[in-house]
Amino acid sequence: MNIEALLQADDMLWIAHRGAKSECPENTLPAFIRAVEMGADMIELDVRLAGDGSLVILHDPTLNRTTNGKGAVSDMTLAQIRQYDAGAWFDLRFQGTLVPTLDEVLAALPNTCLNIELKTDSTARAQALVRRVLGCIYRHGAAGRVLLSSFDHAALADVRALDPTIALGALFVGRPWPPFDLAETLRLSSLHPDVEHLDPHFVAQAKGQGYAVFAWTVRSKEDLSHCVQAGVSGVILDDLTYQHAASSPI
Ligand code: G3P
Ligand code: MG
């Protein structure tokens, strides 16, 4: 499956938030592999620039919550980050799991569509992150199966300046809704509003203008039903078993 086909799909997409994070430690290879097994259409993951320029998959700016180490990713080398365990905090079954690199994820999942969220911390580092992420995607020949997203719309503009065609999505929190001229200027494929502020009129307007709408983050059945009623193109969700609940007869 390529990203363009997914973006045009009629059925609502199931996008695994940080992998199968209800069953596995988030943003790790076991979580991504499990998400594929569970039938996710796409996997969302967070990429950050380490101190030595490595691209690591981690949500927080520090190791503190999701590893047994401490410290800011931006101050550490990959070798330092890899000294720590990224699985045991979740469950001892995952002891020995390491923070993956983007390179490893693209190699481990050669046929999976990925929503790669760019986590930036400063303008200069954002530019380096963008260049390195694009380089990594090109090395894997993966441009046709990725959607890059970010809350940092300047970073999305940096991507677009370097690559005229790669799929881009803008993340937003709350209101006001993003101006559609930004979407047009950056030639976005998708808009990613938060579930709490989801508005069916906005969804209809965005879809009418050709943008997919991917809502984040579905954490409950109520969130899911809110998204379905609003008519979103896809949900970014924590628990992939909701797919079965959604398809079973009432
Ligand atoms: O991409 C959707 C969602 O991941 C954005 O929020 O904080 O979970 O990265 P966060
Ligand atoms: Mg994210």
Side-chain angles (χ1 to χ4, degrees):
M1 182 64 86
N2 65 48
I3 198 74
E4 282 311 317
L6 272 190
L7 287 163
Q8 306 293 329
D10 290 331
D11 292 344
M12 192 182 78
L13 300 183
W14 301 90
I15 305 168
H17 185 227
R18 309 180 203 167
K21 84 186 271 288
S22 62
E23 295 194 7
C24 303
E26 65 181 54
N27 277 326
T28 63
L29 286 177
F32 301 145
I33 289 163
R34 182 69 185 131
V36 173
E37 286 170 2
M38 294 177 82
D41 295 301
M42 181 153 56
I43 296 174
E44 189 267 357
L45 52 90
D46 305 293
V47 66
R48 290 187 173 278
L49 193 67
D52 62 354
S54 301
L55 297 173
V56 295
I57 309 304
L58 201 83
H59 177 271
D60 297 359
T62 71
L63 296 183
N64 305 10
R65 179 178 62 88
T66 56
T67 77
N68 61 353
K70 285 204 185 315
V73 173
S74 59
D75 293 340
M76 302 171 85
T77 64
L78 180 61
Q80 288 171 323
I81 293 167
R82 303 277 222 168
Q83 291 175 344
Y84 301 110
D85 189 293
W89 69 274
F90 184 85
D91 189 304
L92 282 178
R93 285 184 297 127
F94 296 100
Q95 192 161 28
T97 302
L98 301 179
V99 172
T101 61
L102 182 60
D103 190 58
E104 288 169 340
V105 176
L106 288 169
L109 303 170
N111 302 309
T112 302
C113 284
L114 301 177
N115 171 198
I116 301 173
E117 184 189 340
L118 307 171
K119 292 288 192 196
T120 60
D121 38 31
S122 76
T123 305
R125 285 175 49 79
Q127 289 170 350
L129 174 76
V130 161
R131 286 185 179 278
R132 284 174 186 264
V133 166
L134 284 175
C136 187
I137 290 168
Y138 299 155
R139 277 197 304 284
H140 285 269
R145 63 179 176 97
V146 298
L147 168 66
L148 301 184
S149 65
S150 191
F151 290 105
D152 182 343
H153 302 161
L156 295 178
D158 289 342
V159 176
R160 184 53 81 226
L162 293 166
D163 188 314
T165 59
I166 201 160
L168 292 179
L171 280 155
F172 293 90
V173 185
R175 295 170 188 271
W177 293 112
F180 286 113
D181 57 355
L182 173 81
E184 194 179 331
T185 304
L186 297 183
R187 299 196 298 287
L188 301 181
S189 297
S190 54
L191 299 170
H192 302 209
D194 65 297
V195 169
E196 198 185 332
H197 297 92
L198 197 60
D199 172 351
H201 301 295
F202 165 75
V203 176
Q205 197 184 1
K207 288 173 72 175
Q209 295 192 33
Y211 303 109
V213 178
F214 298 140
W216 59 278
T217 298
V218 166
R219 302 187 201 279
S220 67
K221 298 265 173 71
E222 290 71 31
D223 287 345
L224 177 59
S225 117
H226 181 45
C227 289
V228 170
Q229 281 165 19
V232 300
S233 318
V235 287
I236 300 173
L237 79 170
D238 286 348
D239 185 347
L240 290 162
T241 63
Y242 287 5
Q243 294 171 99
H244 310 302
S247 62
S248 60
I250 295 168

